[in-house]
Amino acid sequence: MSATCVIGLQWGDEAKGKIVDWLTQDHDVIIRYNGGSNAGHTVVKEQKTYKFSLVPTGILWPNRVAVLGCGVVIHPKALIQEIDSLKSNGCNPGSSLKISDRAHVIFPYHFQEEQLAEQASSRGQQEAIGTTLRGIGPCYADKVGRRHAIRLGELANPQRFHDRLVEIVEFKNRYIQAVWPESQALNPEAIFEEYCDYFSTIEPYVTDTTALLHQLWDSGKNFLFEGAQGSLLDIDHGTYPYVTSSNSSVGGIASGTGIPERNIDECIGIIKAYTTRVGGGPFPTELHDSTGDLIRKTGKEFGTVTGRPRRCGWFDAVAARYTTKLNGVDALSVMLLDVLSELDELKICTAYEYEGNRIEQFPGSIDVLEKCTPVYQTLPGWRKDIQDIRTLTDLPSEARRYLDTITACLETPLKLVSVGPDRKQTIPIV
Ligand code: IMP
C-alpha cells in the first residue's frame, strides 16, 4: 500500500485534475479532503471534456473508490447536478462514490450570508475577498462555531434534522435581517423539504468514510489524495484573508480524511509554468499588459466554476519555493508549458524587493507582500509548438532551460511536464 498526494503550489487552478487523472492508473482510492464546489477540475479523456467540482476525478476510471472526506463541505444540489452531468456523459458513479457522513452541509443561508458580506465589504474599507459565492466560507465558519452546523449524516434522522434546521434558520433570519435589513427571510419548512429530497438521492453514497478508508488501507489499497485550490489559498498558510476557508495544503489531509499524514509516501507539487489568481489579494508578478492578456487567452484562463477571467503573471519562484517547503514536496509537475510557446522571452521571479532590500522569503503578512516588487531572471522563449512532444530531450533547449531554472529555484526534481490538455500530452520524467 502507498499514499500519494497532489497539491497545488500556487493560488489554485494549477491543472491538478489532469495529474490526478494521470496518477489514478496506479491508485485504487482517490480522496478529496477539503473545499467544496468552489473547486473546478477539468479532465479531457478521449476527446471528451469532463468538468468536476466536488466529485473526485478518479471516478472516470473503472474499479476505483472515489471519496469525499469529512473535511469537504457539500452543497447537495450542486453534487446531484454534477452526478447527473457525469451520468449523461456516460460515467455512472454507481457504488464507486463514497461521501463522508461527517461532511458539513451548505444551506441557502450560507449563500445569503456570503453574498451580503461580499457586497458590503466591497462598499466598505476592506476589498471584497472575491469568493466563488458557493457558500464555502460561511459553512466552514458554522462548522467551527458548532452551534449552527449540520453534518450530512444528520439528514438521515428527519425529525431531529427538522428541529435543528428550524432553530438554525430562525436564528439566521434574525441575524441576517439585523445586519442587512433589506434581505429576504428564508422559509425553514421549504428548506427542510428541499434537503430531504436531496438526501434521498445522495443517501446511497453517504457512509462513514473514515472507517471505510481505514479498512481499505489495511487491505493494502493505494491512496491518492486530491487537493483542491492551491497552497497560497490555505486558511492558515496562504495570503490571509484573501484565501479559502480550508487547509488546501498537505496539512488538510489528516483532518479532512482521518488518515494520518505519516502514511503519505509521496507529495507531488503542481505548478503552472506561470502564475494565475482569481479574486482579490496581492499578486506581485501580475501582468497588466498584452503579455498577461496573451497568457489568459492562450491558457483559457477563465474560472471553471465562475467563468471569471483569471489574473495572469510570471512564474513566482519565491511563492512556489515557500509552498514547496510547506508541503514537503518530493517532485514537481509543471503544467501548461505550451501556453508560453508564443513568447519571445520569459521571466521568473527569483526574489522580491521590499523597502530597498532584497528578500527571498515569502512574507507572512499581506501588508508586506503588497509592497514587494519582483526581481526577475529573464530567459529566452522557444517560439515553437511543443504540444506533440513526448520526451524531455525533444523539448527545445530554451524550454529545458526554463524548466531547469524552476527546479533549481525550488530545489525539487521534476516528475511530469504537461504540454496540452489531453492525457496523452504529458511528458513523464524517467
Ligand atoms: P471561496 O473558496 O469561495 O471562499 O473563495 C476564496 C478565494 O479562493 C477566492 O479568491 C476564490 O477565487 C479562491 N478560490 C476558491 N476556490 C478556488 C479554486 O478552485 N481555484 C482558484 N481559486 C479558488
Side-chain angles (χ1 to χ4, degrees):
M1 61 211 157
S2 73
T4 306
C5 64
V6 171
I7 310 275
L9 299 183
Q10 294 160 315
W11 279 289
D13 308 317
E14 298 92 351
K16 297 178 286 293
K18 175 175 166 174
I19 295 308
V20 170
D21 178 57
W22 170 274
L23 292 169
T24 299
Q25 52 194 322
D26 301 322
H27 293 84
D28 310 296
V29 188
I30 297 79
I31 310 144
R32 268 278 302 270
Y33 60 88
N34 77 299
S37 36
N38 50 347
H41 292 166
T42 306
V43 176
V44 181
K45 183 187 163 193
E46 286 145 18
Q47 272 115 44
K48 256 191 194 171
T49 300
Y50 297 85
K51 301 255 182 223
F52 291 90
S53 201
L54 262 170
V55 177
T57 51
I59 204 85
L60 290 180
W61 290 75
N63 307 319
R64 300 301 195 280
V65 184
V67 177
L68 292 174
C70 57
V72 171
V73 285
I74 311 270
H75 181 223
K77 184 177 177 186
L79 176 67
I80 293 166
Q81 280 170 350
E82 196 174 331
I83 292 172
D84 287 346
S85 139
L86 281 169
K87 280 184 183 165
S88 65
N89 239 333
C91 169
N92 191 343
S95 58
S96 307
L97 180 63
K98 306 287 177 194
I99 307 170
S100 173
D101 54 2
R102 294 174 173 91
H104 282 257
V105 183
I106 298 177
F107 286 95
Y109 44 81
H110 292 132
F111 289 89
Q112 205 180 21
E113 275 180 81
E114 182 170 33
Q115 208 140 31
L116 292 166
E118 282 284 278
Q119 278 164 8
S121 58
S122 61
R123 288 197 297 265
Q125 281 197 327
Q126 192 190 335
E127 193 192 341
I129 292 171
T131 71
T132 58
L133 298 175
R134 295 297 186 269
I136 307 294
C139 182
Y140 277 117
D142 279 343
K143 170 180 173 173
V144 178
R146 293 152 296 161
R147 284 183 182 82
H148 302 119
I150 295 181
R151 307 213 280 189
L152 201 50
E154 291 181 60
L155 274 65
N157 180 342
Q159 189 56 55
R160 195 181 123 78
F161 168 50
H162 174 269
D163 295 348
R164 289 210 60 227
L165 184 72
V166 169
E167 204 180 310
I168 293 169
V169 175
E170 282 171 357
F171 170 84
K172 292 284 183 181
N173 279 342
R174 285 198 304 277
Y175 159 68
I176 291 172
Q177 290 193 314
V179 183
W180 295 285
E182 72 278 14
S183 63
Q184 288 262 313
L186 296 169
N187 177 345
E189 297 301 336
I191 300 175
F192 173 70
E193 294 298 326
E194 185 186 344
Y195 275 66
C196 285
D197 266 4
Y198 294 149
F199 192 66
S200 64
T201 307
I202 59 175
E203 193 172 13
Y205 306 111
V206 178
T207 189
D208 179 348
T209 56
T210 307
L212 175 72
L213 289 173
H214 292 164
Q215 278 163 21
L216 291 167
W217 183 260
D218 291 341
S219 66
K221 300 292 183 202
N222 293 336
F223 283 18
L224 180 61
F225 296 101
E226 174 179 350
Q229 292 87 44
S231 303
L232 294 171
L233 290 172
D234 185 286
I235 181 78
D236 289 300
H237 304 288
T239 46
Y240 192 88
Y242 298 98
V243 291
T244 192
S245 301
S246 64
N247 285 115
S248 46
S249 64
V250 75
I253 293 178
S255 58
T257 66
I259 292 294
E261 227 169 282
R262 67 158 187 251
N263 290 14
I264 300 168
D265 309 283
E266 189 180 25
C267 177
I268 301 174
I270 315 294
I271 43 175
K272 261 179 191 167
Y274 46 93
T275 311
T276 62
R277 159 159 225 182
V278 228
F283 178 178
T285 62
E286 183 169 11
L287 289 163
H288 299 279
D289 58 8
S290 57
T291 306
D293 293 341
L294 181 74
I295 292 175
R296 186 175 307 106
K297 189 163 163 264
T298 316
K300 301 189 181 63
E301 293 293 356
F302 297 87
T304 320
V305 174
T306 59
R308 290 180 290 179
R310 296 182 184 137
R311 300 156 67 191
C312 297
W314 296 120
F315 185 78
D316 185 340
V318 180
R321 192 162 50 226
Y322 162 64
T323 50
T324 298
K325 287 196 189 304
L326 187 67
N327 291 293
V329 172
D330 297 295
L332 298 167
S333 276
V334 178
M335 312 302 290
L336 295 126
L337 187 67
D338 54 300
V339 170
L340 302 180
S341 295
E342 285 177 50
L343 298 171
D344 289 325
E345 60 177 31
L346 306 165
K347 290 181 201 261
I348 292 178
C349 167
T350 52
Y352 297 146
E353 195 173 292
Y354 173 65
E355 294 186 338
N357 297 311
R358 181 187 162 97
I359 57 169
E360 293 187 1
Q361 211 163 331
F362 191 71
S365 140
I366 60 158
D367 295 341
V368 176
L369 189 61
E370 268 162 359
K371 294 189 194 112
C372 285
T373 51
V375 177
Y376 286 120
Q377 177 174 350
T378 303
L379 295 157
W382 44 93
R383 304 274 313 162
K384 266 186 215 103
D385 182 6
I386 56 170
Q387 288 207 325
D388 292 328
I389 292 179
R390 298 288 175 267
T391 64
L392 194 63
T393 43
D394 287 341
L395 279 175
S397 58
E398 296 87 352
R400 274 182 281 134
R401 188 168 157 208
Y402 186 72
L403 293 170
D404 288 344
T405 309
I406 290 179
T407 53
C409 287
L410 273 49
E411 297 169 3
T412 307
L414 263 187
K415 185 173 178 94
L416 290 169
V417 180
S418 175
V419 290
D422 201 274
R423 238 184 223 174
K424 291 194 290 275
Q425 293 171 305
T426 308
I427 303 177
I429 313 301
V430 281

